[in-house]
Amino acid sequence: MSAEQGSSKVLTKEVPAVLDQVTAPPPPLVSQPEAIDTRTLSRSLFLRLAALEKDSPDRTYVRDTLIELNLPLVRYAAARFRSRNEPMEDIVQVGTIGLIKAIDRFDCERGVEFPTFAMPTVVGEIKRFFRDTSWSVRVPRRLQELRLALTKASDDLAQKLDRSPTVPELAAVLGVSEEDVVDGLAVGNAYTASSLDSPSPEDDGGEGSLADRLGYEDMALEGVEYRESLKPLLAKLPPRERQIIMLRFFANMTQSQIGEEVGISQMHVSRLLTRTLSQLREGLIAD
């Protein structure tokens, strides 16, 4: 047998085997949970992070990897607030801040899983975001918390009493004064602001927008303080000077008409007005 014939027999045996390997279906891919165990990988990264020095160049890389690895935890927590009016992207960003704080504070030697440790921090950061930004009018935190407590107590009492609870009943349940309950109920109006262009509610029976139903600015309000300050000063004036002031500024009489009414000349009325107005002006400045 020649060498060429021997090579031909070898190729005849090997080529079908190679073709079978090429045309065979690929092995099934490993599922994602089996390919990457997030908790195991996070635990390894936390151990690595704890072993690194604070000024180590690898610390930033390990920390960023932990953030990206646990972002699904933030999305899961943000999904609880999908009914709010804020965009989901903003909620996720705020929750990511809570995730970063949890990563910086986590101690893997305490025997607690990171998701269990991080979830309260992430949710708390999101709640703080809504508490600080969702109110149309900024109110003290004490009143915000009181409003939440009043809402829960009101629902519980309504189920027990089969009616809306009264202010004294809410005060007794929460252990606060009735004035605090009234403030807590009133602060609910500051959560959302009504547009001036909003239509009138149907139960009011009115027409037009809210701006059409608002009152006008009373320009006379600016003079209330001056009138109240002048009252005791006018009471101290002699009867004739007080009568002249009343006739001049309240009856709108001229100096000649006042002179005829009082029985003195117009010049005398002018001198008395000048002197009396100076006294009143000095009394206002002194007060």
Side-chain angles (χ1 to χ4, degrees):
M1 180 184 299
S2 63
E4 184 177 352
Q5 292 177 345
S7 301
S8 176
K9 289 183 179 180
V10 172
L11 290 175
T12 304
K13 294 180 180 179
E14 291 181 352
V15 169
V18 173
L19 291 176
D20 290 340
Q21 294 178 1
V22 172
T23 59
L29 295 176
V30 180
S31 61
Q32 187 67 17
E34 295 177 358
I36 300 177
D37 187 348
T38 304
R39 294 195 176 189
T40 302
L41 183 56
S42 294
R43 189 180 301 109
S44 301
L45 290 173
F46 274 117
L47 291 174
R48 175 63 176 163
L49 187 67
L52 292 173
E53 298 293 338
K54 291 185 178 181
D55 55 351
S56 174
D58 296 334
R59 185 177 181 86
T60 301
Y61 172 77
V62 175
R63 184 170 176 264
D64 293 344
T65 304
L66 281 169
I67 295 172
E68 296 180 4
L69 191 64
N70 290 277
L71 279 178
L73 182 68
V74 177
R75 298 189 183 95
Y76 174 78
R80 297 170 52 182
F81 302 90
R82 63 167 61 93
S83 60
R84 302 295 184 94
N85 295 327
E86 295 293 333
M88 182 57 63
E89 293 79 4
D90 294 348
I91 302 176
V92 171
Q93 288 183 4
V94 174
T96 305
I97 297 175
L99 174 64
I100 295 174
K101 292 180 179 179
I103 290 175
D104 293 338
R105 295 199 303 259
F106 182 67
D107 186 0
C108 53
E109 296 182 356
R110 293 185 177 181
V112 180
E113 294 291 342
F114 178 71
T116 305
F117 174 82
M119 183 59 73
T121 305
V122 174
V123 174
E125 195 71 25
I126 296 175
K127 288 183 177 180
R128 188 178 299 108
F129 166 73
F130 284 114
R131 185 191 66 208
D132 295 339
T133 62
S134 297
W135 290 76
S136 299
V137 178
R138 188 71 175 90
V139 298
R141 181 176 179 180
R142 178 184 65 86
L143 292 179
Q144 295 182 18
E145 295 176 349
L146 179 59
R147 175 181 174 271
L148 296 176
L150 282 172
T151 301
K152 184 177 183 302
S154 180
D155 293 340
D156 295 341
L157 287 177
Q159 293 180 358
K160 294 180 181 179
L161 303 176
D162 197 20
R163 60 174 174 81
S164 298
T166 62
V167 171
E169 290 171 345
L170 291 172
V173 170
L174 297 178
V176 297
S177 64
E178 296 183 10
E179 290 78 8
D180 290 338
V181 172
V182 173
D183 292 339
L185 294 174
V187 80
N189 298 326
Y191 189 76
T192 56
S194 299
S195 173
L196 293 177
D197 297 327
S198 60
S200 174
E202 296 180 359
D203 53 359
D204 287 351
E207 297 181 356
S209 63
L210 177 60
D212 297 333
R213 305 194 305 274
L214 293 177
Y216 63 91
E217 182 178 359
D218 189 357
M219 303 305 297
L221 289 176
E222 298 180 358
V224 172
E225 181 180 357
Y226 295 109
R227 289 196 297 269
E228 293 299 319
S229 300
L230 281 172
K231 281 183 179 180
L233 298 177
L234 290 173
K236 297 178 181 179
L237 292 176
R240 187 176 62 176
E241 281 78 353
R242 185 165 58 249
Q243 182 183 7
I244 292 174
I245 292 293
M246 298 295 292
L247 294 175
R248 178 68 184 90
F249 294 99
F250 292 91
N252 294 323
M253 296 176 62
T254 64
Q255 294 183 3
S256 301
Q257 293 172 339
I258 295 174
E260 295 177 358
E261 180 72 21
V262 180
I264 58 178
S265 64
Q266 183 267 335
M267 292 297 296
H268 196 183
V269 172
S270 177
R271 288 194 296 269
L272 289 175
L273 275 174
T274 302
R275 185 181 63 186
T276 304
L277 292 176
S278 299
Q279 293 177 357
L280 294 175
R281 191 177 296 110
E282 292 176 358
L284 288 175
I285 296 174
D287 292 340

